[in-house]
Amino acid sequence: MRRVVVTGIGVLCGIGRNREEFQAGLREGRSGIGHITNTECLDLRFREGAEVRCYNPNDHFSPKEADMIDRFAQFAVVAAREAVAHSGIEWTVDMRENAAIVTGSCVGGQSTENQGFWDVYKMGKPRVHPMTIPKTMANAGASAISQEFGITGPAFTISTACSSSAHAIGQAFSMVRSGMADVAITGGSEAPFSYGILKAWEAMRVVSPTVCRPFSLDRNGMILGEGSAMLVLESLDHALARGAKPIAEVAGFGMSSDAHHITQPSAEGAAKAIRMALKDACIAPDRIGYINAHGTGTTANDATETRALHLAFGDHAKRLAISSTKAMHGHALGAAGAIETAAAIFAVANGILPPTINFTGPDPECDLDYIPNCARRADAEYALSNSFAFGGLNAVVALKRY
Amino acid sequence: MPDLMETDELTQRVLRIIAETQRKDPAQVTVDSSFEELGIDSMDGVNIVFALENEFNVNVPDEEVRSIRSVRDMVEGVRRLVEQSQQGSGGQSLGTETPGPAPEDQAPAAS
């Protein structure tokens, strides 16, 4: 099987509109969370979110192009452009035919769908905009990326709630490793800030009205985020042959399903996905130096994830450096796995581990090293990025310094 | 006290809502039933509170939901909220639904 490397990264999210701002945000422990401005919050019990600030579609697309794709798909294209530019790929006919695109999105074009439903149900209008269906579909990001670069290889979208883009990266990794594709653009994008879906999140009672404090005793929920991260994956040989410089290696991927509950996480299911990722990467647990946790900031997730880390790592769990960067960029749902995989790549590549900000003090049920509040210089040869979705679908990406 | 509580109308409505949302025989649900006995987990609890909010036209704050541990907690919590709203001193929109979005051409999400 072929070795697979990351040669390009593009990111935009609450803590940065591009790769450089994102890395600076992680290093500085900057919060990207503030009052939600993209939609009126009206009677919502929460007001906070991690939006991509100062995003103007016209900075990236012609007005006609911007009309054709929802905000979430625009994010996918913007991140993919940055990742491709970073990789230095110069497309040939052959490369376009053999490249794959695998994206993740949980909720697709929410604001477009919301507007359509508003028009018919609330306003009693007799018609909805004709672009409502193609702008709402979750694969719109993958389709827009294929059009952007003229890529004609396999392209599809995975929707597994909060694991969507981690599963997407895992699938793209498998395709490049097996030889099905030489190059893959993979990641996820999400833009969930619209009134209807925020009401639905409010009803679940898992969103914090204040701040996201993963693993702290006084944590009171997650904060939603938006954005995208895209990676360019290539076989090592393909990258070296064109003179590209690998940023990191994708060492392995593990997944599992809890077979347990539609919303409650399972430590055993999460631990199994971690073990599968270690096995796939052919490494012992004590080789892992950093873990970008799922770390949503809910009571249930953080305690369960901690138990899972104890189960999977045994004695080494206490020596792991773990952080949840969601306290900074929010929970970007279907984009979360990709944004956090990007954070983990930068951690192994730069030797700077991002912190868990807003940390106020340990919960007895969360008894590990969560890199509280300040980034840390440390050499981590291997890192994991954990994603655990509602519905009990778990995905863990293993990364290695190159 | 428990006997009195079992018989009043508000308690019966709460028990009925719990039984309906959990698809249980109403005879199984009593004030002294534990969540464990009824097989109620945290998501079920959130679903029940949603039904109770609709039934009694009250709003239950998130932090109160997190502290609910039993059927009795639910009955007492609803009773307190209903009494507060009847006294008109409930503060934060208790007893009345907060207004929905104003009828405008743009949905609130439009941007």
Side-chain angles (χ1 to χ4, degrees):
Chain A
M1 285 193 295
R2 309 195 297 182
R3 290 173 69 185
V4 179
V5 292
V6 182
T7 55
I9 302 175
V11 191
L12 72 166
C13 67
I15 56 169
R17 290 162 297 176
N18 54 54
R19 186 175 61 247
E20 293 306 322
E21 287 185 10
F22 178 66
Q23 287 185 84
L26 293 174
R27 206 165 45 234
E28 294 159 12
R30 191 177 342 119
S31 170
I33 290 165
H35 287 321
I36 295 167
T37 59
N38 282 309
T39 180
E40 290 176 62
C41 291
L42 301 169
D43 58 338
L44 284 170
R45 288 199 299 269
F46 59 86
R47 288 276 181 282
E48 305 302 302
E51 293 175 329
V52 176
R53 303 287 165 187
C54 306
Y55 176 78
N56 182 351
N58 297 324
D59 292 343
H60 306 278
F61 302 95
S62 72
K64 180 77 189 300
E65 287 170 335
D67 285 346
M68 300 297 278
I69 54 174
D70 183 89
R71 183 176 174 95
F72 97 97
Q74 293 179 20
F75 287 167
V77 172
V78 172
R81 282 178 184 157
E82 188 184 24
V84 167
H86 191 204
S87 76
I89 282 181
E90 291 173 16
W91 297 103
T92 62
V93 172
D94 187 53
M95 279 173 77
R96 287 192 170 101
E97 287 180 353
N98 289 297
I101 300 163
V102 190
T103 65
S105 177
C106 174
V107 299
Q110 272 296 312
S111 52
T112 297
E113 187 173 63
N114 194 62
Q115 182 67 51
F117 288 171
W118 183 267
D119 288 346
V120 285
Y121 294 142
K122 178 80 178 176
M123 304 307 298
K125 288 185 180 178
R127 58 188 73 83
V128 171
H129 196 281
M131 285 302 292
T132 303
I133 294 292
K135 285 175 75 172
T136 300
M137 62 193 191
N139 60 298
S143 301
I145 292 169
S146 80
Q147 291 171 46
E148 174 75 17
F149 300 107
I151 291 168
T152 57
F156 56 95
T157 296
I158 293 175
S159 189
T160 47
C162 310
S163 295
S164 299
S165 53
H167 274 123
I169 291 168
Q171 184 63 31
F173 165 60
S174 298
M175 291 169 76
V176 174
R177 183 162 65 170
S178 72
M180 191 186 292
D182 290 329
V183 176
I185 298 173
T186 183
S189 76
E190 206 78 271
F193 292 110
S194 71
Y195 181 74
I197 193 174
L198 296 182
K199 284 300 284 182
W201 278 106
E202 176 191 73
M204 284 204 78
R205 299 177 184 274
V206 293
V207 179
S208 168
T210 52
V211 294
C212 178
R213 303 185 187 286
F215 303 108
S216 290
L217 182 59
D218 61 349
R219 66 188 180 277
N220 61 358
M222 53 186 268
I223 301 257
L224 291 162
E226 65 173 0
S228 176
M230 291 290 164
L231 312 177
V232 173
L233 303 187
E234 290 181 74
S235 71
L236 178 62
D237 291 345
H238 189 273
L240 296 179
R242 67 178 184 85
K245 185 176 177 304
I247 303 159
E249 182 167 353
V250 183
F253 180 64
M255 46 186 162
S256 70
S257 44
D258 293 346
H260 169 57
H261 191 276
I262 195 67
T263 56
Q264 277 179 4
S266 146
E268 289 74 19
K272 184 181 175 197
I274 293 169
R275 286 194 200 101
M276 297 295 286
L278 297 174
K279 187 180 169 201
D280 193 43
C282 299
I283 51 170
D286 62 6
R287 301 287 296 280
I288 299 292
Y290 170 67
I291 293 183
N292 190 297
H294 190 56
T296 56
T298 64
T299 307
N301 176 82
D302 297 357
T304 306
E305 184 166 11
T306 300
R307 281 205 305 283
L309 293 169
H310 279 292
L311 286 172
F313 286 94
D315 291 344
H316 185 61
K318 291 279 184 193
R319 291 187 291 277
L320 288 168
I322 302 155
S323 66
S324 168
T325 48
K326 284 189 176 74
M328 293 184 265
H329 54 64
H331 190 342
L333 306 177
I339 293 170
E340 292 157 25
T341 295
I345 291 169
F346 291 130
V348 293
N350 302 338
I352 301 171
L353 311 184
T356 303
I357 66 165
N358 305 324
F359 192 83
T360 50
D363 177 345
E365 290 192 78
C366 301
D367 57 353
L368 297 173
D369 172 9
Y370 303 106
I371 318 179
N373 298 317
C374 292
R376 184 183 299 167
R377 276 197 184 279
D379 273 339
E381 186 187 10
Y382 284 94
L384 298 181
S385 176
N386 287 347
S387 297
F388 308 132
F390 277 162
L393 309 187
N394 310 303
V396 176
V397 183
L399 301 147
K400 186 187 182 201
R401 188 174 58 217
Y402 183 83
Chain B
M1 282 303 283
D3 291 339
L4 186 64
M5 195 181 203
E6 284 278 9
T7 57
D8 83 326
E9 190 219 333
L10 180 141
T11 304
Q12 291 307 314
R13 282 167 71 192
V14 173
L15 298 182
R16 175 173 58 76
I17 293 286
I18 294 172
E20 280 175 9
T21 59
Q22 297 308 298
R23 310 286 178 147
K24 297 264 182 211
D25 178 350
Q28 284 181 277
V29 184
T30 72
V31 171
D32 294 314
S33 303
S34 71
F35 281 1
E36 290 72 27
E37 283 165 8
L38 297 174
I40 292 173
D41 64 28
S42 61
M43 191 69 230
D44 292 328
V46 170
N47 289 338
I48 294 167
V49 170
F50 164 73
L52 291 171
E53 287 180 324
N54 285 339
E55 171 76 10
F56 292 96
N57 196 23
V58 294
N59 288 321
V60 185
D62 287 349
E63 53 274 21
E64 285 203 30
V65 175
R66 275 191 276 273
S67 67
I68 294 170
R69 293 281 180 270
S70 65
V71 172
R72 186 173 294 275
D73 286 346
M74 282 186 165
V75 173
E76 289 172 352
V78 167
R79 191 186 307 282
R80 192 173 64 251
L81 289 170
V82 167
E83 284 172 2
Q84 280 174 8
S85 72
Q86 284 169 350
Q87 289 162 7
S89 61
Q92 306 150 346
S93 72
L94 287 173
T96 51
E97 287 295 322
T98 47
E104 294 163 5
D105 265 2
Q106 288 291 299
S111 64

